[in-house]
DNA sequence: CCTTGTTTGTTGCAAAAACAACATAATCTC
DNA sequence: GAGATTATGTTGTTTTTGCAACAAACAAGG
């Protein structure tokens, strides 16, 4: 799939005509980079003027506390973007962006465009409007995640997350983008306790799973 | 304090000249409303085209699950805003906005301005740029809250929250905007267990408190 | 194909949290 | 000012989680 098609599936470029995109990319000083698996694209305490869009592969957004305990904030796939908040606030990052597999990223120098673009590009307004929409959807994603982790028990967190994933895919069978340790760090629980709870839920007939592929079983 | 002064302290109107604000308010179809304490300004499942700014008083953002368990998402004071994500995404609200005390709100019809404003107001661009900044700061606030609630124990959540509040105020003595039940619902823990833990922390010499006024005690 | 490393799942124990119930203190309303 | 209501704190019990240790399964590398 070529870049223009991928970008038109992103929030940032939605409702922008395909023929306008090459000029926009020039204006945004677009640059493409490829990274191996487990590569830290942006680290904590870094600054950036560039928003990243995933062209292929996937990344995790993570953070570590003082003692090195990891929290997985989110997983991003093709057409998803990151670092939009850093670009807009010009603050130091509190998260890392790490590849989960070989990944290609398109970097866009959004900062100068949303603060002042004296070129008067005809699609500038559409871009900044999309930026507003992008940040709003990021807010909603954070609220959804918070909805999972505010649950009080490990089982409730799992049910909340897995049922939301099923709903998102429109299917009771689906893959999640995390291994066990990543899922535990995403839901803020202890890995082996979570595995034990998943095993109990399976023996109670609530769900089946094989590694990261899950099937929720409908109650009769 | 008059409205223009308050608005200039908000993110949405920052860097907009005081003399431009009256025209902007006309353009935004501004309307002011007063509400008693414990009034639900926006309820779950509602839609809105209007962003609200707190002129006096305060509000809590809350949500309830299917069984009626409440989560407190955040507390907003003077010059803070709400519903910006609803306005930008045109989706149904998943939270309620409830007054904590008698409160005055300024409602602004932001939606039509950020999607298309054919009047060509000279400050339209500044407003949408501020909207981008506002949404980014909301993201950062959600990330900060998530930083508290991803901690694994009640004590760690309390320490995380209270030390962040101290840092925000630049003082080891401060008031928080929550009673005990609201604080417990904000940190997603059980109220009486949290009270018990606060009591232990006090007897260990970590902090003092009287209702919502706290003092963190420096370690020797 | 074999060895090494990683991932997943299990077990037992200690600690922590949730919960229910209740007493005391503080606040509000009449 | 008194009574009613709400808020805070305590206690004991049950449930759940975190943790450490380890075994088995799976994946990767040579």
């Amino acid at each position: 799939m070529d870049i223009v098609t991928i970008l038109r599936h992103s929030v940032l470029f939605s409702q922008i005509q395909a023929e306008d995109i090459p000029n926009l990319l020039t204006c945004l000083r677009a640059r493409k980079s490829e990274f191996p698996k487990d590569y830290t694209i942006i680290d904590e305490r870094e600054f950036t003027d560039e928003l990243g869009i995933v062209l292929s592969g996937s990344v995790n957004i993570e953070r570590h506390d003082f003692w090195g305990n990891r929290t997985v904030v989110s997983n991003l796939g093709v057409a998803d973007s990151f670092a939009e908040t850093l670009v807009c606030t010009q603050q130091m990052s509190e998260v890392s962006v790490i590849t989960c597999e070989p990944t290609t990223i398109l970097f866009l120098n959004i900062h100068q465009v949303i603060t002042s673009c004296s070129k008067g590009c005809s699609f500038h307004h559409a871009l900044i409007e999309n930026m507003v929409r992008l940040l709003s959807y990021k807010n909603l994603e954070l609220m959804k995640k918070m909805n999972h982790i505010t649950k009080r028990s490990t089982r409730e967190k799992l049910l909340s997350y897995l049922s939301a994933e099923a709903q998102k895919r429109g299917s009771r069978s689906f893959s999640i983008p995390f291994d066990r340790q990543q899922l535990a760090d995403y839901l803020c629980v202890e890995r082996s306790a979570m595995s034990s709870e998943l095993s109990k839920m399976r023996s109670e007939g609530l769900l089946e799973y094989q590694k990261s592929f899950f099937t929720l079983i409908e109650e009769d």
Side-chain angles (χ1 to χ4, degrees), chain A:
Chain A
M1 209 193 291
D2 76 318
I3 294 183
V4 171
T5 307
I6 295 170
L7 292 181
R8 294 198 71 220
H9 282 90
S10 68
V11 176
L12 192 60
F13 288 87
S14 67
Q15 297 178 349
I16 292 182
Q17 299 297 323
E19 59 266 27
D20 290 336
I21 290 182
N23 282 341
L24 245 186
L25 295 186
T26 304
C27 193
L28 295 170
R29 287 160 43 202
R31 64 186 182 87
K32 187 164 72 171
S33 293
E34 291 180 23
F35 302 97
K37 174 180 162 67
D38 295 329
Y39 186 89
T40 301
I41 299 177
I42 298 179
D43 211 347
E44 294 174 24
R45 287 179 291 281
E46 284 185 8
F47 296 82
T48 184
D49 280 343
E50 290 179 311
L51 176 148
I53 297 185
V54 181
L55 297 183
S56 70
S58 59
V59 299
N60 274 351
I61 312 297
E62 305 182 357
R63 79 195 297 165
H64 295 80
D65 67 12
F66 180 81
W67 301 274
N69 298 310
R70 180 182 72 168
T71 302
V72 172
V73 177
S74 61
N75 174 267
L76 304 176
V78 171
D80 288 336
S81 60
F82 57 85
E84 53 284 305
T85 308
L86 302 183
V87 167
C88 296
T89 60
Q90 293 287 275
Q91 289 188 13
M92 181 175 71
S93 180
E94 294 190 19
V95 297
S96 315
V97 182
I98 302 175
T99 60
C100 306
E101 54 187 299
T103 294
T104 308
I105 300 294
L106 187 70
F107 291 99
L108 305 169
N109 197 311
I110 289 285
H111 182 61
Q112 71 159 44
V113 167
I114 64 175
T115 48
S116 70
C117 180
S118 53
K119 290 198 189 77
C121 301
S122 56
F123 25 68
H124 175 151
H125 185 76
L127 194 70
I128 197 167
E129 230 181 274
N130 282 348
M131 199 61 189
V132 164
R133 193 172 294 123
L134 173 61
L135 288 161
S136 300
Y137 281 111
K138 285 292 174 137
N139 267 312
L140 291 180
E141 287 298 306
L142 282 176
M143 290 297 292
K144 278 172 183 149
K145 171 176 178 155
M146 208 173 286
N147 205 19
H148 305 323
I149 65 177
T150 52
K151 298 296 191 278
R152 300 301 171 80
S153 65
T154 297
R155 176 178 288 229
E156 285 177 15
K157 290 179 175 181
L158 282 167
L159 287 172
S160 181
Y161 171 73
L162 293 173
S163 65
E165 288 294 289
Q167 215 169 52
K168 194 201 292 182
R169 287 163 175 71
S171 170
R172 289 192 287 109
S173 295
F174 54 91
S175 285
I176 67 172
F178 300 126
D179 67 19
R180 285 294 177 270
Q181 186 62 63
Q182 288 170 333
L183 179 61
D185 292 345
Y186 180 80
L187 294 178
C188 310
V189 295
E190 205 276 325
R191 181 200 61 78
S192 58
M194 182 191 74
S195 261
S196 185
E197 196 61 39
L198 275 173
S199 189
K200 279 165 66 185
M201 289 162 77
R202 176 167 63 187
S203 64
E204 285 168 30
L206 291 174
L207 50 75
E208 298 289 344
Y209 57 84
Q210 265 179 327
K211 316 267 273 149
S212 60
F213 189 80
F214 288 78
T215 299
L216 304 189
I217 297 174
E218 226 160 334
E219 275 176 61
D220 298 319

